[in-house]
Amino acid sequence: MISFDDILENKIKTGRYQFKTLGIVGLVEFCDGIEYAYMSILVAIIQKEWELNQQQIASLGSSFLLGMVIGNCICAFLTDIIGRKTTFTIFTGLSVFLIYFTSICTSYNQMIMLRLMFGIVFGTSYPLGYVFISEVTEPRYRGRFGYSMGVLFVIGKIYLAFLCIFYLNDFTSGNWRGLIRVNGIPVAISFILSLFYLKETVRYYLNQREYKVAFEQIDSTIHENQKDTDILTEEEKQGLINWQEKQIQINQEQELNRFGILSQNYKYITFKIWILYILANLQNMSIYLLMPFLFANNNSNLSSMLFMFILELVFALLLYVFIDDPNIGGRKMVIGYSSLILVLANASLYLFRQHILFFGLLLIKLACRALFSTLGLVCCESYPLQLRSQGTAIAFGIGKTTSIPSPFFLFPLFYIDPYLPFALMSILSIIMIITNYLIGDDKTMKPLESHKQD
């Protein structure tokens, strides 16, 4: 029985189509890198400029995260109804308008509402990057394409750091309005390109039983990648139909339409992924919320942040080399090593404090980058097509949900002792190691969808 992965490996192969898709959806991941770094800087600047109290700055950080959670939930269910491409295009377009309105807002209440709305539209579009990449790439290159998203995330932060040097005076003052307008350019480019060049995935059409459209797109993609006329044969078309009908039958037997990602076959991996995302997001928020304040207390300048992001990029490029090698890397090993680094780095920061501030924060950022890039792949590889966008988006949302209250306990801990949050994160990272150990199958370089008999 022929599967789409067989067609992907033997006929479509890897070429212009995959790189074009990566370039378009990767711009949103690039913007995600900008947004996370910018969020912490914006909070620090507005706190001083608008004279906000501790409760207000915590609410400002949480409003964006709440919007992301709502957006992730919208993505989880809307994407399988109207398609990946349509969802991506609509919500990247809305992001452009909200970025502009944020740059001209004049009050705290306006800013809270705009950050919430931007979180909703951005949270709907950004999980689709990993869904697109996992569905259009060959098994042997899936990890590297997925990690390319992580590289673009880091490049986005470097882009922001350069702009910060140009637009800002320090971590607590400068032209933040001009900065946010320039930050909107990449997402605007992504929106325009998606209108004309982004294609719906073949797997989505197959799952919708739109076989004629799927076969036409396969033929056009073969021509785009291979520049030949080696289109699908009638035998291959029938084989794909038989394989997809079998997949739909299995999904019905497993009652996926009724229970979704909490069905019997997927609920345990779902809970494990949720735990990893919850803990990874808590760690990530501790860095992004506290880093500007720690650097300011340590009299560090904006170039320190730029240098840290450049080193993070070097690490991301190194990780790209071995992520698809199950003997050297593999998903479980990357998550395990990253969790161990978090345990040690957080404990060291709590013990040695400002003496290792830069090195400790760098290690945590490197481990978080490896974690998020790997978890995005694990989500897409753990579910069948019918549950992929649902499983990925809800996992992103569950992780963000726990980040919403994080400013309300991270800042109080910070004001008691600036390094006390790292002691807490070191303990939580031990739970990540245990959870990763309990994850069973590692689909590094394995087909994305397969039947049990295959």
Side-chain angles (χ1 to χ4, degrees), residues 325-342:
D325 188 339
N327 300 314
I328 302 175
R331 318 295 189 239
K332 286 192 64 174
M333 290 179 67
V334 172
I335 294 174
Y337 289 140
S338 300
S339 302
L340 179 60
I341 290 172
L342 289 177

Side-chain angles (χ1 to χ4, degrees), residues 261-262 267-281 375 379 383 390-399 402 435:
I261 57 175
L262 296 181
K267 62 182 180 181
Y268 295 112
I269 185 64
T270 294
F271 290 138
K272 292 168 190 174
I273 290 173
W274 285 1
I275 292 171
L276 290 173
Y277 259 111
I278 287 168
L279 297 176
N281 273 278
L375 284 173
C379 275
Y383 299 107
Q390 182 186 134
T392 302
I394 289 180
F396 282 22
I398 290 291
T402 56
T435 305

Side-chain angles (χ1 to χ4, degrees), residues 44-224:
I45 293 175
I46 289 181
Q47 180 194 24
K48 181 179 179 181
E49 186 174 314
W50 291 354
E51 298 180 349
L52 304 180
N53 57 40
Q54 181 180 325
Q55 181 74 19
Q56 287 175 314
I57 63 170
S59 299
L60 187 60
S62 293
S63 63
F64 173 71
L65 295 171
L66 175 60
M68 291 283 278
V69 172
I70 297 171
N72 291 160
C73 293
I74 293 172
C75 176
F77 299 100
L78 183 66
T79 302
D80 286 326
I81 298 173
I82 66 174
R84 285 95 165 97
K85 170 187 163 62
T86 304
T87 306
F88 184 88
T89 301
I90 290 173
F91 285 90
T92 50
L94 291 173
S95 296
V96 177
F97 289 102
L98 287 170
I99 287 172
Y100 171 74
F101 285 117
T102 302
S103 72
I104 60 174
C105 82
T106 57
S107 71
Y108 172 75
N109 289 335
Q110 287 180 6
M111 179 63 77
I112 284 281
M113 184 56 64
L114 285 166
R115 294 298 290 169
L116 173 66
M117 293 173 65
F118 180 71
I120 292 172
V121 299
F122 193 72
T124 305
S125 59
Y126 95 93
L128 292 174
Y130 282 101
V131 175
F132 265 105
I133 290 303
S134 66
E135 292 188 359
V136 304
T137 52
E138 298 179 62
R140 57 178 171 167
Y141 297 132
R142 191 188 308 131
R144 290 187 176 181
F145 270 89
Y147 262 80
S148 296
M149 303 278 286
V151 171
L152 288 168
F153 181 93
V154 180
I155 294 174
K157 294 195 291 186
I158 294 174
Y159 168 83
L160 175 71
F162 275 113
L163 292 177
C164 285
I165 293 173
F166 182 77
Y167 280 96
L168 304 182
N169 303 321
D170 52 39
F171 284 104
T172 58
S173 64
N175 181 15
W176 61 269
R177 297 179 188 276
L179 179 61
I180 197 171
R181 290 190 191 106
V182 177
N183 287 343
I185 294 174
V187 72
I189 294 172
S190 179
F191 164 64
I192 294 169
L193 291 177
S194 71
L195 283 172
F196 301 103
Y197 299 108
L198 186 64
K199 295 180 181 179
E200 183 58 78
T201 68
V202 172
R203 295 180 197 266
Y204 172 78
Y205 286 131
L206 290 173
N207 194 57
Q208 297 296 312
R209 289 173 163 158
E210 296 183 28
Y211 296 120
K212 182 179 179 182
V213 180
F215 297 152
E216 288 174 353
Q217 182 153 315
I218 290 173
D219 289 342
S220 67
T221 306
I222 291 172
H223 180 70
E224 183 176 0

Side-chain angles (χ1 to χ4, degrees), residues 248-441:
I248 292 172
Q249 178 188 341
I250 292 172
N251 292 345
Q252 291 172 344
E253 291 171 357
Q254 294 176 349
E255 299 185 289
L256 298 190
N257 290 330
R258 183 178 178 185
F259 298 107
I261 57 175
L262 296 181
S263 60
Q264 184 65 32
N265 292 66
Y266 297 101
K267 62 182 180 181
Y268 295 112
I269 185 64
T270 294
F271 290 138
K272 292 168 190 174
I273 290 173
W274 285 1
I275 292 171
L276 290 173
Y277 259 111
I278 287 168
L279 297 176
N281 273 278
L282 283 175
Q283 177 69 81
N284 208 38
M285 286 304 297
S286 71
I287 291 295
Y288 284 111
L289 287 176
L290 303 180
M291 185 174 67
F293 296 95
L294 289 167
F295 276 162
N297 290 347
N298 204 44
N299 296 320
S300 300
N301 54 33
L302 291 166
S303 60
S304 300
M305 181 176 68
L306 173 61
F307 184 52
M308 180 179 292
F309 291 161
I310 291 174
L311 291 177
E312 188 179 352
L313 174 62
V314 173
F315 172 79
L317 291 172
L318 290 174
L319 196 59
Y320 170 89
V321 174
F322 60 82
I323 183 56
D324 265 336
D325 188 339
N327 300 314
I328 302 175
R331 318 295 189 239
K332 286 192 64 174
M333 290 179 67
V334 172
I335 294 174
Y337 289 140
S338 300
S339 302
L340 179 60
I341 290 172
L342 289 177
V343 172
L344 300 175
N346 280 295
S348 299
L349 268 173
Y350 178 69
L351 294 174
F352 300 106
R353 302 176 176 254
Q354 68 270 17
H355 301 296
I356 63 161
L357 177 62
F358 182 87
F359 183 67
L361 291 178
L362 176 62
L363 283 179
I364 293 172
K365 288 180 71 61
L366 297 182
C368 284
R369 179 70 343 245
L371 272 174
F372 281 107
S373 295
T374 308
L375 284 173
L377 287 168
V378 169
C379 275
C380 292
E381 293 173 342
S382 298
Y383 299 107
L385 186 140
Q386 187 173 344
L387 300 179
R388 186 165 300 125
S389 59
Q390 182 186 134
T392 302
I394 289 180
F396 282 22
I398 290 291
K400 293 292 186 300
T401 300
T402 56
S403 299
I404 293 171
S406 61
F408 294 96
F409 66 82
L410 285 174
F411 281 122
L413 289 175
F414 176 81
Y415 288 121
I416 294 171
D417 177 349
Y419 294 89
L420 187 56
F422 297 108
L424 173 63
M425 293 303 153
S426 181
I427 296 171
L428 294 178
S429 297
I430 297 173
I431 301 175
M432 295 180 70
I433 295 176
I434 298 170
T435 305
N436 178 62
Y437 177 77
L438 296 175
I439 291 179
D441 191 24

